[in-house]
Amino acid sequence: MCYLIAKRFDCTGSLALQTVHGQHLAEFKRHLIEKIGYDKIQLVTISRPSAYGEYEPYRFVDSEEEFEKQVVNM
């Protein structure tokens, strides 16, 4: 288990999706990067949110679809 985090560089807080490592996660991240680029939003994978205070506060979402929609609108 891991968390995919999306953080806008100039804002406090981030969006988090609980997921699992693997090819599907890599492809999902590539898909998102194609849509949003590298300029404004950072996508990172972390092991546990409590260990990464620099991304707090977290807003957790329940699905990839919801995560993608919110990331695109960041």
Side-chain angles (χ1 to χ4, degrees), residues 13-44:
S14 61
L15 188 65
L17 173 68
Q18 185 176 348
T19 187
V20 293
H21 289 286
Q23 186 64 31
H24 178 74
L25 175 58
E27 290 172 5
F28 183 57
K29 284 175 73 173
R30 267 188 238 119
H31 168 76
L32 287 173
I33 289 169
E34 286 176 8
K35 285 187 156 193
I36 62 171
Y38 295 98
D39 298 342
K40 297 178 183 176
I41 299 171
Q42 175 186 27
L43 291 177
V44 294

Side-chain angles (χ1 to χ4, degrees), residues 47-65:
S47 57
R48 63 183 199 280
S50 61
Y52 296 88
E54 64 268 30
Y55 299 111
E56 291 180 337
Y58 295 99
R59 286 182 293 127
F60 292 92
V61 296
D62 296 322
S63 68
E64 288 183 357
E65 293 80 16

Side-chain angles (χ1 to χ4, degrees), residues 15 32 35-36 41 67-74:
L15 188 65
L32 287 173
K35 285 187 156 193
I36 62 171
I41 299 171
F67 186 85
E68 181 175 348
K69 182 179 177 182
Q70 290 192 32
V71 167
V72 168
N73 291 321
M74 284 179 117

